[in-house]
Amino acid sequence: MPGLVNVHTHLELPLLLDDIRAQNYTDWVFNLLASKKHLTRRDYAAASQRNIEALIRSGTTTVAEISTHGVSPLVLRKSGLRSVVYHEIIFMGEDVSRLIFPGRGPVYRLVNYGISPHSPHTVSGPALRTIHHISSRRHLRLCMHVAETREETLLLQRKKNTLELLYAAAGWDLSGAPVARSSFAYLHRLGVLGPSFLAVHAVHVDNADIGIMKRSGSGVAHCPRSNHEIGVGTMQLRKLLDARISVGLGTDSLASVPSLNLWDEMRYAYQVHRRSGVTPQDIFHIATLGGAGALGMGREIGSLEPGKKADLIAISLPRKNTGDLYSDLLRETKTCTMSMVNGHVVFGGETDMNRLLNN
């Protein structure tokens, strides 16, 4: 079958979920920031390697990574995975000359680059316009956490919200926060949406927002387990699929999920959305071709067709045959027996993954 496409994760983070669980999103962020104070660059590098190994063993052949500390790209280059690496930016200042964009460095055929302004409420309007301008000029993709929480919408609407606590802790002037009906309305007004834009989460949206997404051609990363763990709500997956928006599946990080196994994410997504009419076949679609489309790679990967890149995996047939192969595979599959990226075997057979990653 086609290799799995994980459209959103943070590979540099180790397993933090049990230590930083909280009752709400804002407390979870504070816990995450406190936990990261004890982590070193060596910790981020070790986590990147372990997490990439986990991706490969479970059948992911393409991953979209948000790199905050700059250590995961090197590990990805050695891994043989196809990837999009987004450089994360958090900046609420007005002086955009202070923004730092890393050089692309050597070009690797399996590694694409992008920029990730963190969210509408952690990157100022002037900074977003500059980031969009630079990304357009350099043909870089954009990725942003958008409409993840109800608190974000309340902040934009100037209603009481807990994100004000984050602004106070960061020393940001609350008057510099964006004002809009919704996150997507705000980003549309700034002109940053488009086919090269990936909106992560997109939980708190209405029909007008879905219309904006559809018209702009933006993709969406759906992370249902993360949404559940940090209590932000449930995305309207059926509505987005019916609107023919490119939706992919992402695990998010080990700070908000217990594993980076996309099969676990697929099973949970089906459990959450089946009552709205989402089928096992829909789940397979968003985990493969849907994710490829959300990353602008739908013509290259995501399905097994003549002319596409040879990104594929082998998995065991299910032990129980109910007559619905998609449902049976979704119920039983946890890993792959072989993984191939761009025609090269990266796992299975005689491939030594440890040798590959440590080379």
Side-chain angles (χ1 to χ4, degrees), residues 74 85 87 119 153 159 236 241 249 261 298 302 309 337 339 341 344 353:
L74 178 60
V85 177
H87 168 67
S119 70
T153 303
K159 297 177 181 178
Q236 303 175 65
L241 293 178
L249 200 61
N261 188 324
K309 307 294 185 183
T337 58
S339 179
V341 180
H344 298 280
M353 187 165 64

Side-chain angles (χ1 to χ4, degrees), residues 2 32 45 50 62 98 128 144 188 220 231 277 296 316 329 335 346-347 359:
L32 175 61
R50 288 194 304 270
T62 296
R98 295 173 56 195
L128 272 177
M144 176 184 275
H188 174 65
V220 172
S316 299
L329 288 173
T335 186
V346 297
F347 176 66
N359 187 8

Side-chain angles (χ1 to χ4, degrees), residues 207-274:
N207 290 337
D209 295 324
I210 292 174
I212 290 172
M213 283 185 260
K214 181 178 175 61
R215 290 191 297 274
S216 69
S218 300
V220 172
H222 182 29
C223 307
R225 286 188 301 162
S226 178
N227 293 341
H228 171 73
E229 285 287 353
I230 57 180
V232 299
T234 303
M235 194 187 81
Q236 303 175 65
L237 177 59
R238 184 72 266 167
K239 274 193 173 183
L240 268 62
L241 293 178
D242 289 345
R244 298 189 181 280
I245 292 169
S246 293
V247 179
L249 200 61
T251 58
D252 217 322
S253 75
L254 292 179
S256 61
V257 295
S259 78
L260 301 187
N261 188 324
L262 208 61
W263 291 102
D264 294 340
E265 202 73 39
M266 293 163 69
R267 273 185 286 274
Y268 186 78
Y270 179 55
Q271 175 186 332
V272 168
H273 297 292
R274 61 189 301 179

Side-chain angles (χ1 to χ4, degrees), residues 98-121:
R98 295 173 56 195
L99 287 174
I100 298 175
F101 298 94
R104 289 182 58 134
V107 176
Y108 294 84
R109 60 179 177 170
L110 295 179
V111 182
N112 295 289
Y113 296 90
I115 306 173
S116 178
H118 176 263
S119 70
H121 59 274

Side-chain angles (χ1 to χ4, degrees), residues 1-5 249 262 283-293 301-303:
M1 62 170 284
L4 303 180
V5 180
L249 200 61
L262 208 61
I283 299 299
F284 272 79
H285 173 77
I286 64 174
T288 54
L289 188 56
I301 62 170
S303 59

